[in-house]
C-alpha cells in the first residue's frame, strides 16, 4: 500500500471533524463579522435619520451637525429635533432585543418575550397612568418600570404554580397583556382631549417627539441594566447545563433565575418608557441572531442588542418615509411584521409538543 493510501482517512472519521475549539473560533469570527456589518448598517441608518425630515440636509452636513459642527441652524435641527428620536429608537431596540434574548434563554422557549408575557403592556400602563397624573416626563422611566414589575407580579401570581410551566406563563402573559391594554384604553377614553392624543400615540408604540430629558433618564438606567445583563451572562451559561449541574457547581439556581428575570423586566420596561409597547423586536431578533451567529454567548447577546437597534431604527424610517400613509408610529410597522412571526412560532411550538406526546 502506498504512503498516499495509508494517509487517506474516511471523511466521517473523528479526525476529520472540527474540534470544539475550532467550532468556537468560527463562531467568534462569524459573530465579529456580523457585528461589523451591523455597525456599518447602523451608521448608514443614523445618517439617513439625521439627514431627512421636513428640511432635508446633505448627509455630510447632517453628520457634522450631530457632533455640533457646522452652522447653528443645522446643529439645532439635528441635535434638538432629530437626534433624540434616533437615539431613542437605538436604545429601546437594544433593550428590547437583549430582554428577549434573556427570557428565551432563561425559559428555553422561543415564545418567551416581554411583549408576549405582558411586561411591555404593564410598562405602557404605568407610563400612561403617570401621564394622566400630570407628572414630569423625567419620571416616565420610573413609572414604566413600576408597570412592568406589576405585570411580572401578576404573571407570577397567576402563572407560577407548582414550578414554571412555560406554556402556562405565555398564556397567562397574553391575558395580562390584554387586561392591561384594556385598562390603558379606558384611561385614554377618560382623558381630557389634550392628553388623549399623546396617550393614544404612546399605546401604539412611537418615538415621535422624544426629548433629551426622556432619552437621558431612560438611557442612563438602560446602560446600567445592560451591564447587569452581561454580568449575569456567566450565570445564564451555567443554567444552560441544567439545574442539577448548576447546583453542583455552586450556583443558587432560583436566585440566579430571579436576577436574570428582573434584569429582563427592567430592560423591557425602560424600552417601553421610550417607545411604548413595540412588538416583534424582542420576539424575533434573538431568533435571527441564533440563526446567523450560532449558539448563545456573550458575543451573541451583544449582537442581539445591536440587531435590535438596527431593526427598530430601520422600522421607524420605514414608517416615516416609505409607507403611503405618513405619520404612522413605528409600532404599526413592527406589529405588522410580528403578528405572522408569532403565529408561525406558536404553530411550530404546538407541533413540537404534539411530536413529544406521541
Amino acid at each position: 500500500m502506498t504512503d498516499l493510501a495509508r494517509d487517506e482517512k474516511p471523511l466521517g472519521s473523528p479526525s476529520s471533524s472540527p474540534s470544539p475549539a475550532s467550532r468556537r473560533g468560527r463562531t467568534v469570527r462569524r459573530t465579529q463579522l456580523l457585528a461589523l456589518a451591523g455597525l456599518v448598517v447602523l451608521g448608514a441608518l443614523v445618517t439617513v435619520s439625521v439627514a431627512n425630515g421636513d428640511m432635508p440636509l446633505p448627509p455630510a452636513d447632517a453628520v457634522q451637525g450631530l457632533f455640533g459642527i457646522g452652522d447653528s441652524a443645522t446643529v439645532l435641527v439635528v441635535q434638538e429635533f432629530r437626534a433624540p428620536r434616533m437615539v431613542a429608537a437605538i436604545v429601546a431596540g437594544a433593550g428590547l432585543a437583549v430582554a428577549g434574548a434573556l427570557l428565551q434563554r432563561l425559559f428555553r422557549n422561543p415564545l418567551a418575550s416581554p411583549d408576549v408575557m405582558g411586561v411591555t403592556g404593564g410598562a405602557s400602563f404605568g407610563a400612561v397612568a403617570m401621564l394622566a397624573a400630570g407628572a414630569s416626563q423625567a419620571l416616565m422611566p420610573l413609572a414604566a418600570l413600576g408597570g412592568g414589575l406589576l405585570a411580572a407580579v401578576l404573571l407570577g401570581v397567576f402563572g407560577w404554580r407548582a414550578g414554571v410551566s412555560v406554556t402556562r406563563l405565555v398564556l397567562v402573559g397574553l391575558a395580562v397583556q390584554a387586561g392591561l391594554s384594556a385598562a390603558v384604553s379606558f384611561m385614554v377614553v377618560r382623558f381630557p382631549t389634550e392628553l388623549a392624543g399623546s396617550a393614544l400615540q404612546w399605546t401604539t408604540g412611537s418615538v415621535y417627539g422624544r426629548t433629551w430629558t426622556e432619552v437621558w433618564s431612560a438611557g442612563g438606567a438602560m446602560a446600567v441594566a445592560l451591564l447587569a445583563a452581561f454580568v449575569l451572562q456567566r450565570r445564564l451559561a451555567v443554567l444552560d447545563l441544567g439545574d442539577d449541574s448548576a447546583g453542583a457547581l455552586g450556583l443558587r439556581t432560583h436566585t440566579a433565575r430571579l436576577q436574570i428575570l428582573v434584569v429582563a423586566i427592567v430592560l423591557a420596561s425602560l424600552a417601553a418608557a421610550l417607545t411604548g409597547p413595540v412588538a416583534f423586536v424582542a420576539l424575533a431578533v434573538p431568533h435571527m441572531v441564533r440563526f446567523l451567529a450560532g449558539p448563545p454567548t456573550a458575543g451573541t447577546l451583544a449582537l442581539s442588542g445591536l440587531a435590535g437597534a438596527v431593526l427598530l431604527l430601520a422600522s421607524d424610517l420605514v414608517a416615516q418615509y416609505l409607507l403611503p400613509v405618513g405619520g404612522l408610529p413605528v409600532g404599526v410597522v413592527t406589529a405588522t411584521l410580528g403578528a405572522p412571526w408569532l403565529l408561525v412560532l406558536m404553530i411550530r411550538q404546538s407541533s413540537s409538543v404534539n411530536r413529544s406526546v406521541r
Side-chain angles (χ1 to χ4, degrees):
M1 183 180 295
T2 64
D3 293 339
L4 179 61
R6 284 195 302 268
D7 290 339
E8 289 179 351
K9 294 181 177 63
L11 292 177
S13 63
S15 60
S16 64
S17 61
S19 65
S22 176
R23 287 196 297 269
R24 284 195 298 270
R26 284 204 298 269
T27 299
V28 170
R29 287 192 295 272
R30 186 164 57 244
T31 302
Q32 292 172 342
L33 289 174
L34 289 170
L36 179 60
L39 289 172
V40 171
V41 173
L42 182 62
L45 292 174
V46 167
T47 302
V48 173
S49 180
V50 297
N52 288 277
D54 294 334
M55 187 181 74
L57 298 170
D61 293 347
V63 173
Q64 289 178 351
L66 185 61
F67 295 99
I69 303 171
D71 64 272
S72 57
T74 300
V75 172
L76 177 65
V77 169
V78 171
Q79 290 192 347
E80 296 301 322
F81 298 105
R82 298 179 184 175
R85 177 172 185 160
M86 176 264 296
V87 175
I90 292 174
V91 171
L96 286 171
V98 172
L102 290 177
L103 289 176
Q104 288 177 16
R105 192 173 173 189
L106 179 65
F107 292 114
R108 300 172 188 171
N109 190 286
L111 294 176
S113 71
D115 40 337
V116 173
M117 300 177 71
V119 175
T120 53
S124 181
F125 172 80
V128 172
M130 186 66 72
L131 183 63
S136 170
Q137 293 284 341
L139 295 177
M140 285 296 183
L142 184 61
L145 178 58
L149 292 174
L150 171 63
V153 170
L154 293 174
L155 185 66
V157 169
F158 295 109
W160 209 300
R161 296 179 181 176
V164 180
S165 170
V166 176
T167 302
R168 182 183 181 88
L169 285 174
V170 170
L171 293 176
V172 172
L174 290 172
V176 169
Q177 182 90 345
L180 292 172
S181 297
V184 169
S185 298
F186 175 78
M187 287 192 291
V188 169
V189 171
R190 302 295 296 176
F191 270 176
T193 305
E194 60 271 14
L195 291 179
S198 299
L200 184 60
Q201 186 182 62
W202 191 284
T203 60
T204 54
S206 175
V207 288
Y208 173 78
R210 296 285 80 85
T211 64
W212 281 120
T213 300
E214 297 168 313
V215 170
W216 284 121
S217 57
M222 183 82 75
V224 175
L226 286 172
L227 179 61
F230 285 99
V231 170
L232 293 173
Q233 158 67 24
R234 297 187 65 180
R235 299 185 186 183
L236 193 55
V238 176
L239 286 174
D240 288 341
L241 301 175
D243 287 357
D244 293 338
S245 298
L249 293 173
L251 182 69
R252 296 181 178 178
T253 56
H254 293 295
T255 302
R257 289 182 187 279
L258 181 61
Q259 291 171 338
I260 295 167
L261 182 61
V262 169
V263 169
I265 291 171
V266 169
L267 286 170
S269 300
L270 292 173
L274 285 173
T275 64
V278 173
F280 176 68
V281 177
L283 181 66
V285 167
H287 292 278
M288 293 188 292
V289 170
R290 282 195 297 270
F291 176 76
L292 294 173
T297 62
T300 58
L301 188 63
L303 185 61
S304 294
L306 177 60
V310 169
L311 179 60
L312 191 55
L313 183 56
S315 298
D316 186 45
L317 292 174
V318 169
Q320 290 183 73
Y321 305 115
L322 297 184
L323 294 181
V325 180
L328 287 177
V330 65
V332 173
V333 177
T334 59
T336 302
L337 296 172
W341 185 276
L342 176 60
L343 181 61
V344 170
L345 284 178
M346 293 186 73
I347 292 173
R348 291 180 59 186
Q349 189 75 2
S350 176
S351 300
S352 62
V353 171
N354 291 336
R355 284 195 300 267
S356 64
V357 169
R358 292 172 189 171

